[in-house]
C-alpha cells in the first residue's frame, strides 16, 4: 500500500510538472488564458506545491489584474505555510504582491509586502526597492502638502510675530511657509532674518543659501548673506556677496552700503587673530596660501622685490587674490 501511495504521489507530481511546462509555453506566447488553465491543472494534480500558484500570480500581473495577483498570492502563502514551502519561494510571492500594490498606487501596502518578503529571505534588490519606495512616499507626501495660498498666510503670521519682536515665534511660521511652497525663495530669506535677530548667524546663512539655491539672482538673499558674513567676520566672503549682488542690480542700496561697511571694517580692524584663524579654515583661503605664485607675490610685497610685487598687483586676477587674503585677515597691511 505504501509503495502504491508513493507511486501515486510521484505520478501526480510528474503530471503537475507536465501541466506547468505547458503553462510556461503558453505564458511565453502570451496566451495567458491557456497558461492559467494549465497552472490550474497543475495545482489540481499537486495542490501542495505553491510554485504553480506563484506562476498564476505572474500571469495575473502580466494581465494587469493586480487584485487577482493579491488574491492568488495570499492563497499561495497560506498553502506554503501549511506545507512548509521554501522561504525564498515565499519571498518571491510577497515581492510580486508588493509590485501589484505598487501598480495600484498603494505605496504603503507595497512596502509592507516587501518587508514581509525580507522576513522570509533577505536580498539586496528588495532592500533597494523598499528604500526607493520610501523616498517616493516622502516626495508624494511633500507634494501633497504644497499649498501656496497657505504659505502666504503662514508668512504673514510670521511677519506679524517678527514685527512684534517675537523672533523665535516667527520661525515656525516661516518654516511652515517653506513646506507649503518650497520653491519660493522669499520664505527661507524671511527665516534668515529671524535667525539673524536671534544671533544664530550660521543657520541664517544656510537659510540664505537655500533661498539662493532656488533663485541664484535673488539679490535680497545675496545682500543678507553678505550682512551675515560681515557679522561672522568673513569679510572676504562678504565682499564677494555684495559685488555679486551689484552685478545683478547695480543700484541695489543694501549691497552698496554693505560694501562700504565691509571695506571700512577691513581698514579699521587692525590685527584680528580670531578672524584670521577663522579664515584659515576656509578651503579657498588655504588654496590661495598654497599657491606658489601667490606666495611669491606676498614675499615680494613683504620686503622682497617690491617692484616685482607691484607689477604682479597690476594683474586684476592676482590683485583680487591678494585683496581676498587681506579681507580675510590672513594678510595684514602696514
Amino acid at each position: 500500500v505504501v509503495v502504491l501511495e508513493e507511486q501515486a504521489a510521484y505520478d501526480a507530481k510528474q503530471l503537475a510538472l507536465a501541466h506547468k511546462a505547458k503553462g510556461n509555453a503558453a505564458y511565453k506566447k502570451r496566451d495567458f488564458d491557456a497558461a492559467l488553465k494549465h497552472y490550474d491543472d497543475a495545482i489540481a494534480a499537486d495542490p501542495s506545491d505553491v510554485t504553480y500558484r506563484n506562476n498564476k500570480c505572474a500571469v495575473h500581473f502580466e494581465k494587469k489584474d493586480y487584485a487577482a495577483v493579491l488574491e492568488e498570492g495570499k492563497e499561495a502563502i497560506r498553502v506554503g505555510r501549511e506545507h512548509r514551502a521554501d522561504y525564498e519561494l515565499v519571498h518571491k510571492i510577497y515581492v510580486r504582491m508588493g509590485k501589484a500594490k505598487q501598480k495600484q498606487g498603494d505605496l504603503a501596502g507595497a512596502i509592507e509586502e516587501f518587508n514581509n518578503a525580507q522576513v522570509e529571505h533577505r536580498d539586496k534588490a528588495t532592500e533597494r526597492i523598499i528604500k526607493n519606495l520610501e523616498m517616493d512616499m516622502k516626495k508624494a507626501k511633500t507634494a501633497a502638502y504644497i499649498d501656496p495660498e497657505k504659505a502666504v498666510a503662514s508668512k504673514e503670521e510670521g511677519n506679524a510675530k517678527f514685527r512684534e519682536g517675537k523672533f523665535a515665534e516667527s520661525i515656525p511660521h516661516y518654516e511652515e511657509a517653506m513646506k507649503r511652497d518650497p520653491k519660493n525663495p522669499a520664505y527661507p530669506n524671511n527665516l534668515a532674518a529671524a535667525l539673524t535677530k536671534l544671533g544664530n548667524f550660521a543657520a541664517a546663512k544656510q537659510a540664505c543659501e537655500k533661498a539662493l539655491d532656488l533663485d541664484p539672482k535673488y539679490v535680497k538673499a545675496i545682500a543678507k548673506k553678505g550682512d551675515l558674513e560681515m557679522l561672522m567676520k568673513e569679510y572676504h566672503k562678504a565682499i564677494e556677496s555684495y559685488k555679486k549682488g551689484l552685478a545683478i542690480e547695480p543700484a541695489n542700496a543694501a549691497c552698496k552700503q554693505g560694501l562700504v561697511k565691509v571695506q571700512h571694517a577691513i581698514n579699521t580692524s587692525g590685527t584680528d587673530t580670531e578672524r584670521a584663524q577663522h579664515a584659515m579654515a576656509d578651503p579657498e583661503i588655504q588654496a590661495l596660501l598654497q599657491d606658489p605664485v601667490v606666495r611669491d607675490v606676498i614675499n615680494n610685497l613683504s620686503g622682497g622685490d617690491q617692484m616685482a610685487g607691484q607689477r604682479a598687483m597690476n594683474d586684476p586676477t592676482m590683485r583680487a587674490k591678494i585683496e581676498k587674503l587681506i579681507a580675510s585677515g590672513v594678510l595684514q597691511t602696514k
Side-chain angles (χ1 to χ4, degrees):
V1 177
V2 173
V3 173
L4 288 174
E5 286 179 355
E6 288 179 353
Q7 183 62 46
Y10 175 79
D11 291 344
K13 284 187 180 294
Q14 293 305 307
L15 179 61
L17 288 170
H19 283 306
K20 178 191 173 187
K22 291 177 182 178
N24 289 352
Y27 178 84
K28 288 177 183 177
K29 293 178 182 177
R30 302 189 71 77
D31 186 353
F32 296 135
D33 290 339
L36 287 171
K37 181 183 181 305
H38 289 301
Y39 292 140
D40 279 333
D41 290 340
I43 291 168
D46 185 7
S48 66
D49 192 335
V50 297
T51 302
Y52 313 130
R53 294 186 186 278
N54 187 40
N55 293 141
K56 285 186 70 179
C57 286
V59 176
H60 290 313
F61 193 89
E62 286 298 317
K63 291 180 72 175
K64 295 182 172 54
D65 188 351
Y66 304 122
V69 174
L70 298 174
E71 185 179 347
E72 192 68 52
K74 285 177 184 176
E75 181 62 14
I77 289 165
R78 185 192 67 77
V79 173
R81 294 269 187 259
E82 211 173 277
H83 296 278
R84 297 183 180 179
D86 180 71
Y87 292 128
E88 196 165 347
L89 178 56
V90 177
H91 166 97
K92 288 179 181 177
I93 296 168
Y94 272 126
V95 167
R96 186 163 279 119
M97 291 171 70
K99 289 181 177 178
K101 287 190 176 181
Q102 189 176 355
K103 289 289 187 180
Q104 290 177 326
D106 181 5
L107 300 188
I111 289 173
E112 183 182 356
E113 300 297 353
F114 289 128
N115 280 324
N116 288 337
Q118 291 294 75
V119 171
E120 301 296 327
H121 170 78
R122 295 194 71 82
D123 75 7
K124 290 184 178 179
T126 306
E127 189 177 330
R128 283 195 296 271
I129 291 172
I130 292 169
K131 286 182 179 177
N132 288 336
L133 273 178
E134 286 173 342
M135 286 176 62
D136 289 343
M137 276 190 71
K138 189 175 179 181
K139 287 177 184 175
K141 188 177 179 181
T142 300
Y145 200 70
I146 291 173
D147 188 330
E149 287 186 12
K150 288 183 179 178
V152 172
S154 292
K155 182 204 73 169
E156 292 302 329
E157 289 173 6
N159 287 352
K161 294 293 184 183
F162 190 94
R163 285 191 293 269
E164 292 171 10
K166 297 176 180 177
F167 307 120
E169 292 180 29
S170 72
I171 287 174
H173 297 293
Y174 292 139
E175 289 175 335
E176 177 67 9
M178 289 167 66
K179 290 175 186 175
R180 289 292 187 181
D181 191 359
K183 292 186 177 180
N184 191 325
Y187 303 143
N189 198 51
N190 292 140
L191 177 62
L195 290 167
T196 302
K197 290 291 187 180
L198 293 171
N200 193 345
F201 302 145
K205 186 176 175 182
Q206 286 180 347
C208 285
E209 288 166 349
K210 171 67 177 175
L212 292 171
D213 285 342
L214 296 170
D215 183 0
K217 293 185 177 181
Y218 188 36
V219 178
K220 279 187 178 180
I222 294 173
K224 195 176 296 297
K225 180 170 173 282
D227 292 343
L228 286 159
E229 288 159 344
M230 265 283 290
L231 291 167
M232 297 167 77
K233 293 189 175 181
E234 295 176 339
Y235 297 155
H236 59 298
K237 293 182 179 180
I239 288 173
E240 284 187 356
S241 293
Y242 293 135
K243 285 184 175 179
K244 182 179 178 180
L246 289 171
I248 298 167
E249 287 184 19
N252 186 274
C255 288
K256 279 185 172 182
Q257 292 167 10
L259 197 56
V260 171
K261 286 178 182 177
V262 74
Q263 292 290 3
H264 177 73
I266 292 167
N267 295 332
T268 58
S269 61
T271 303
D272 190 335
T273 306
E274 183 185 348
R275 177 162 64 97
Q277 287 176 344
H278 184 63
M280 286 294 289
D282 185 338
E284 188 178 6
I285 297 299
Q286 291 174 6
L288 287 175
L289 291 172
Q290 291 168 6
D291 186 330
V293 179
V294 172
R295 292 178 69 87
D296 189 47
V297 173
I298 292 170
N299 289 333
N300 286 332
L301 291 172
S302 301
D305 188 341
Q306 292 279 340
M307 293 294 290
Q310 290 301 324
R311 283 197 299 274
M313 290 295 283
N314 289 330
D315 174 19
T317 302
M318 181 55 68
R319 175 176 284 278
K321 290 178 179 180
I322 298 299
E323 287 178 347
K324 182 171 289 185
L325 290 173
I326 294 169
S328 72
V330 169
L331 191 62
Q332 301 294 323
T333 56
K334 295 179 181 179

